């Protein structure tokens, strides 16, 4: 056989084989790069999911507590007659709107609940009828005939009249869901709520305030200072008044959206 005639054919075969090999290498390199990109993307996704899971775990690990309330039903708050619950009341020159007043003469105590939409209990006041802290009356929003906010002096003058118009309810309803009753010692409040945010003394009455972030609005990042979240709440505050170390009044405040 003539070997000289084989050389062009061998050369052509070599070129063809090299082209196939080059294409094969190119495809292999492209596949590797593509797989690497996919791998990195998966790694990023896994990393993000892991962080989200860690954040969720931290959020879920935060302690919650159910805010306190009284066993007064929404049916008791409904307006069914002219002098019932939240119906407008007048004492002297002072008016009460959207507030339900309940009392018990035998224990001389009153609970007043200020209502918002859908029976949301924005403010709840519980106090002795014959030992009402002046700060409690000052914090209560009452109005003049014209609809303006009544002055502190006017409120103090007319306040007793609202107690006479309050609805009589049974004694058991004056114990809160957390078991607080007037006459309880200060230690009980601190055991349940922890260290108060503020503490002051005026006219022989000690005032303690607590404030808790609401679970509904918590962003999961802000420091809570070791405090629990107020469950199913927009924010919750408690004010308690003590005379000689015993509870004489409290105010529960539930924020609104």
């Amino acid at each position: 056989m003539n070997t000289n005639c084989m050389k062009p054919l061998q050369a052509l075969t070599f070129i063809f084989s090299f082209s196939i090999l080059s294409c094969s290498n190119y495809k292999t390199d492209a596949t590797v790069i593509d797989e690497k990109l996919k791998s990195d993307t998966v790694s990023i996704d896994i990393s993000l999911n892991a962080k989200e899971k860690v954040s969720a775990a931290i959020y879920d690990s935060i302690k919650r507590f159910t805010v306190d309330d009284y066993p007064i039903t929404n049916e008791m708050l409904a307006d069914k007659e002219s002098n019932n619950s939240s119906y407008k009341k007048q004492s002297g020159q002072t008016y009460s709107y959207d507030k339900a007043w309940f009392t018990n003469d035998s224990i001389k105590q009153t609970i007043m609940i200020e209502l918002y939409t859908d029976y949301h209990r924005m403010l709840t006041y519980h106090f002795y009828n014959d030992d009402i802290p002046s700060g409690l009356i000052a914090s209560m929003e009452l109005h003049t005939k014209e609809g303006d906010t009544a002055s502190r002096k006017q409120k103090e003058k007319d306040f007793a009249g609202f107690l006479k118009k309050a609805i009589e309810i049974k004694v058991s309803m004056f114990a809160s869901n957390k078991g607080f009753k007037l006459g309880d010692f200060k230690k009980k409040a601190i055991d349940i709520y922890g260290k108060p945010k503020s503490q002051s003394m005026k006219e022989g009455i000690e005032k303690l305030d607590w404030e808790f972030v609401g679970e509904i609005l918590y962003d999961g990042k802000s420091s809570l200072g070791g405090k629990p979240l107020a469950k199913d709440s927009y924010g919750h505050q408690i004010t308690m008044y003590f005379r000689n170390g015993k509870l004489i009044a409290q105010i529960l405040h539930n924020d609104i959206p």
Side-chain angles (χ1 to χ4, degrees):
M1 182 180 292
N2 188 347
T3 55
N4 291 332
C5 293
M6 295 291 293
K7 288 180 180 179
L9 181 60
Q10 287 176 340
L12 182 61
T13 301
F14 174 77
I15 292 170
F16 181 70
S17 300
F18 178 78
S19 298
I20 293 174
L21 181 61
S22 298
C23 291
S24 176
N25 288 338
Y26 173 77
K27 289 180 180 178
T28 302
D29 291 344
T31 301
V32 169
I33 293 171
D34 184 57
E35 290 177 352
K36 183 67 170 62
L37 288 172
K38 288 181 179 178
S39 176
D40 289 344
T41 302
V42 170
S43 297
I44 291 170
D45 289 342
I46 292 173
S47 178
L48 288 173
N49 288 336
K51 287 181 179 179
E52 288 174 358
K53 288 179 180 178
V54 169
S55 298
I58 293 173
Y59 179 78
D60 290 341
S61 69
I62 297 173
K63 292 182 179 179
R64 275 107 164 138
F65 79 100
T66 302
V67 301
D68 205 4
D69 199 359
Y70 287 83
I72 294 171
T73 66
N74 286 345
E75 288 74 21
M76 295 170 65
L77 299 174
D79 287 326
K80 297 175 182 176
E81 55 187 65
S82 62
N83 191 38
N84 195 34
S85 67
S86 60
Y87 191 84
K88 179 181 74 174
K89 290 179 172 58
Q90 178 182 358
S91 175
Q93 299 302 310
T94 308
Y95 291 79
S96 167
Y97 299 104
D98 301 317
K99 296 173 175 63
W101 296 79
F102 302 98
T103 195
N104 185 282
D105 290 336
S106 65
I107 58 174
K108 294 181 172 59
Q109 296 180 27
T110 292
I111 293 174
M112 189 279 278
I113 302 174
E114 183 171 335
L115 299 168
Y116 191 63
T117 306
D118 297 327
Y119 295 109
H120 177 79
R121 303 178 189 200
M122 187 161 60
L123 285 156
T124 300
Y125 296 79
H126 181 193
F127 50 90
Y128 284 121
N129 295 349
D130 55 1
D131 192 9
I132 307 172
S134 59
L136 182 146
I137 297 177
S139 70
M140 193 178 294
E141 189 174 278
L142 298 169
H143 296 86
T144 64
K145 182 178 180 180
E146 293 73 25
D148 298 323
T149 301
S151 66
R152 180 169 181 167
K153 183 177 180 180
Q154 181 176 324
K155 287 190 290 185
E156 290 178 348
K157 177 183 177 183
D158 295 336
F159 197 78
F162 292 113
L163 307 186
K164 295 177 181 177
K165 295 185 176 184
I167 297 170
E168 185 86 8
I169 58 175
K170 56 188 179 182
V171 174
S172 61
M173 292 188 170
F174 288 83
S176 78
N177 294 345
K178 288 187 178 294
F180 281 108
K181 296 181 291 185
L182 299 188
D184 283 343
F185 288 100
K186 182 172 68 174
K187 182 180 182 301
K188 179 177 180 178
I190 294 175
D191 287 344
I192 291 178
Y193 290 123
K195 183 179 179 181
K197 180 181 179 181
S198 64
Q199 192 169 353
S200 60
M201 179 73 77
K202 184 178 181 180
E203 299 172 349
I205 297 177
E206 187 176 18
K207 177 187 174 187
L208 273 60
D209 295 284
W210 290 266
E211 184 173 351
F212 297 93
V213 174
E215 179 187 38
I216 295 174
L217 297 181
Y218 182 57
D219 60 9
K221 300 176 183 178
S222 305
S223 174
L224 297 172
K227 294 181 180 179
L229 287 171
K231 187 178 180 181
D232 300 325
S233 170
Y234 291 97
H236 184 65
Q237 299 87 44
I238 305 107
T239 298
M240 289 187 173
Y241 297 89
F242 297 87
R243 188 186 293 279
N244 299 323
K246 292 185 177 182
L247 184 66
I248 63 168
Q250 81 160 333
I251 304 171
L252 304 176
H253 183 195
N254 296 304
D255 291 343
I256 56 177

